[in-house]
């Protein structure tokens, strides 16, 4: 059977997309549908929830950070092995960079490129019939983006739902469900978004509640009828987004280090690399039989005391780094530094393989697309490699140290952001999360 797909989107962040997406995934799986989730834009946390509720890896689709051949390859992977692909949009449906057209990083780029019908989630708290004006605007803004129907969210009463539904019907948009205000379905959050799926103690029970409410409040048959086979160039290749840093890669993997994109992992494995997980929080070090080590992002600031006490992890990582490449992204970069100060103001010793110090005592959000050109060769590529990705962190650098900078950085519009990251010997790190390799600078 050909895979069919649709997109869950909203006018803005915080409108209820994630809850509705998880409810739909849980309900379809309960029905026995082979369903997979995907997420537009750079996001680690929501795809982990998709995977937990479906049992299938959730991939990211990003029209700015992924060149077209990679984007098509990732979409082909996302379709594989499932009957229905539910893509959750980031931000608002049309939100992204101002240019270039079709590659702004907006969810609408993905919907238009692959012909994904969009279910628009509308938070109608505080309004009734006026919600139809918002829906009409979204339905007519871009002819390449098809709004297949509306799901009303945060509905206060049956009469409230009826008012909005009548207005939607008047503009020709079907209402495919209405979710009430259910406090028990709200997911806990922290500074980078939702609390990670692996830390959510009641995830199975939550999935059951979500599925039950979706069966009650959504027209699942009508939603499935909206889904359409994504349009893909044929044949869609499966290129490697980032060449593997080694044949056998030791990857830190626990509650402090969990942010590693599924398409990166898939590309490494397709290239023949093996991944060997280890847990710094359990005081484990990289395997001696590995030839590269990767410290992903995550939440080391929440576990700084345990990491500081993990003496075997520190000494084994230092020994590893004498002869083999070690790279840290964001949280991993912080752990490679001399120290990390938590939000309570307590400073904890880190590995000291790089000379910088970071702090959460004074938080400042850093968020946005980035392009990085490597100054020297390291685990993520040879000198001159151009990479695309993003930053999202609240940590500040209180002492930059004396290490050589890793890369020259620009933002999504090509504006110079100075240098980023650090490099010393075989060790490299940066706040920058890699999504793809573009090639080499001219």
């Amino acid at each position: 059977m050909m895979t069919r797909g649709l997109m869950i989107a909203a006018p803005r962040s915080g409108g209820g997309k994630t809850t509705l997406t998880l409810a739909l995934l849980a309900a379809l799986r309960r029905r026995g549908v082979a369903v997979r989730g995907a997420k537009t834009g750079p996001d680690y946390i929501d795809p982990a929830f998709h995977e937990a509720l479906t049992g299938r890896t959730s991939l990211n689709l990003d029209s700015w950070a992924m060149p077209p051949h990679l984007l098509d390859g990732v979409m082909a992977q996302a379709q594989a092995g499932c009957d229905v692909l539910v893509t959750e949009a980031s931000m608002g449906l049309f939100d992204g960079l101002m240019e270039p057209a079709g590659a702004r990083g907006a969810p609408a780029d993905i919907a238009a490129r692959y012909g994904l019908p969009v279910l628009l989630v509308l938070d109608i708290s505080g309004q009734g019939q006026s919600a139809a004006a918002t829906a009409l605007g979204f339905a007519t803004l871009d002819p390449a983006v098809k709004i297949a129907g509306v799901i009303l969210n945060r509905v206060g009463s049956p009469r409230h739902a009826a008012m909005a539904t009548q207005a939607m019907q008047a503009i020709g948009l079907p209402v495919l469900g209405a979710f009430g205000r259910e406090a028990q379905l709200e997911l806990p959050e922290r500074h980078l978004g939702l609390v990670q799926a692996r830390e959510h103690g009641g995830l199975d029970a939550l999935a059951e509640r979500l599925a039950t409410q979706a069966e009650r409040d959504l027209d699942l048959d009508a939603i499935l009828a909206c889904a359409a086979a994504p349009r893909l160039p044929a044949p869609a290749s499966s290129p490697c987004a980032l060449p593997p840093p080694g044949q056998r890669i030791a990857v830190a993997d626990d509650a402090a280090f969990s942010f590693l994109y599924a398409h990166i992992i898939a590309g490494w494995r397709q290239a023949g690399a093996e991944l060997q997980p280890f847990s710094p929080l359990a005081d484990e070090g990289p395997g001696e039989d590995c030839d590269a080590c990767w410290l992903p992002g995550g939440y080391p600031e929440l576990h700084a005391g345990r990491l500081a006490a993990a003496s075997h992890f520190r000494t084994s990582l230092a020994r590893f780094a004498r002869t083999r490449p070690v790279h840290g992204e964001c949280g991993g970069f912080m752990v490679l530094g001399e120290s990390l100060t938590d939000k309570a103001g307590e400073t904890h010793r880190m590995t000291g393989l790089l000379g910088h110090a970071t702090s959460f005592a004074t938080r400042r959000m850093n968020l946005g697309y980035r392009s990085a050109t490597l100054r020297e060769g390291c685990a993520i590529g040879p000198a001159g490699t151009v990479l695309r990705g993003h930053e999202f962190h609240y940590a500040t650098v209180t002492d930059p140290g004396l290490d050589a900078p890793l890369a020259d950085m620009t933002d999504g519009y090509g504006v110079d952001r100075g240098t980023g990251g650090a490099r010393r010997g075989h060790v490299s790190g940066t706040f920058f999360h890699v999504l793809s390799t573009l090639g080499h600078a001219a």
Side-chain angles (χ1 to χ4, degrees):
M1 181 182 295
M2 182 176 293
T3 300
R4 294 178 295 149
L6 52 82
M7 179 178 287
I8 305 293
R12 60 177 177 82
S13 295
K17 296 186 301 290
T18 298
T19 299
L20 265 297
T21 299
L22 296 180
L24 181 58
L25 294 174
L28 292 180
R29 188 180 189 185
R30 182 186 279 182
R31 276 193 171 196
V33 176
V35 63
R36 185 193 300 274
K39 181 68 187 270
T40 72
D43 186 321
Y44 295 98
I45 296 174
D46 292 347
F49 277 93
H50 299 170
E51 181 174 347
L53 266 63
T54 65
R56 292 176 169 82
T57 301
S58 176
L59 294 159
N60 295 77
L61 302 161
D62 193 293
S63 64
W64 183 85
M66 294 177 174
H69 68 285
L70 174 61
L71 184 58
D72 292 342
V74 175
M75 173 55 94
Q77 292 174 30
Q79 290 186 77
C82 67
D83 298 328
V84 176
L85 176 66
V86 178
T87 300
E88 179 185 349
S90 58
M91 308 176 295
L93 176 59
F94 295 102
D95 292 333
L97 300 174
M98 295 179 68
E99 55 186 20
R104 301 186 301 111
D109 295 343
I110 304 299
R113 183 177 184 86
Y114 300 114
L116 294 177
V118 176
L119 304 186
L120 190 66
V121 178
L122 288 178
D123 177 354
I124 63 168
S125 57
Q127 61 179 176
Q129 293 95 327
S130 294
T134 300
L136 181 61
F138 274 78
T140 57
L141 182 63
D142 184 349
V145 178
K146 177 190 176 184
I147 305 298
V150 172
I151 298 175
L152 307 177
N153 194 30
R154 299 186 180 124
V155 175
S157 67
R159 182 179 179 185
H160 186 201
M163 292 165 63
T165 298
Q166 184 182 53
M168 297 298 170
Q169 290 171 341
I171 62 170
L173 282 178
V175 173
L176 303 175
F179 254 40
R181 303 185 184 108
E182 300 286 347
Q184 69 269 28
L185 296 182
E186 293 179 2
L187 298 168
E189 298 187 26
R190 60 164 65 111
H191 51 279
L192 296 183
L194 299 176
V195 171
Q196 298 178 93
R198 67 169 71 199
E199 298 176 73
H200 197 295
L203 199 55
D204 289 342
L206 175 65
E208 289 299 310
R209 292 198 300 271
L210 286 166
T212 297
Q213 181 158 356
E215 290 172 344
R216 186 190 72 198
D217 293 342
L218 301 181
D219 188 339
L220 296 175
D221 291 331
I223 288 172
L224 286 171
C226 290
R231 298 191 302 261
L232 258 181
S237 62
S238 298
C240 186
L242 179 73
Q247 170 63 36
R248 185 176 288 111
I249 310 164
V251 178
D253 183 9
D254 56 29
F257 304 92
S258 59
F259 294 168
L260 185 54
Y261 283 117
H263 74 280
I264 298 287
I265 295 172
W268 286 353
R269 287 179 170 151
Q270 187 175 8
E274 304 170 47
L275 276 64
Q276 186 179 109
F278 70 99
S279 171
L281 287 179
D283 203 13
E284 298 172 353
E288 286 298 330
D289 59 343
C290 293
D291 46 23
C293 180
W294 193 274
L295 302 181
Y299 289 103
E301 66 274 14
L302 302 180
H303 308 279
R306 287 179 63 189
L307 291 170
S311 58
H312 174 70
F313 160 63
R314 291 201 314 273
T315 56
S316 62
L317 186 66
R319 183 171 60 250
F320 190 99
R322 294 189 193 112
T323 57
R324 288 157 289 182
V326 174
H327 183 73
E329 280 193 337
C330 201
F333 173 55
M334 292 188 279
V335 173
L336 288 174
E338 289 286 347
S339 66
L340 193 164
T341 302
D342 63 25
K343 66 179 182 180
E346 182 177 355
T347 298
H348 304 270
R349 175 189 177 189
M350 292 290 108
T351 63
L353 297 180
L354 295 173
H356 61 279
T358 52
S359 174
F360 277 80
T362 303
R363 301 193 332 175
R364 181 170 63 86
M365 187 172 73
N366 294 270
L367 172 66
Y369 282 128
R370 301 286 183 265
S371 180
T373 303
L374 297 180
R375 290 189 159 201
E376 299 290 341
C378 64
I380 55 176
T385 298
V386 180
L387 306 127
R388 278 195 170 180
H390 68 102
E391 284 188 34
F392 184 18
H393 61 92
Y394 287 86
T396 57
V397 175
T398 54
D399 182 349
L402 300 175
D403 299 314
L406 179 64
D408 296 302
M409 311 292 294
T410 60
D411 67 14
Y413 295 104
V415 176
D416 182 18
R417 299 278 300 187
T419 58
R423 179 186 54 80
R424 183 197 300 174
H426 296 288
V427 181
S428 59
T430 172
F431 279 119
F432 169 77
H433 294 274
V434 178
L435 276 161
S436 72
T437 304
L438 290 190
H440 287 78

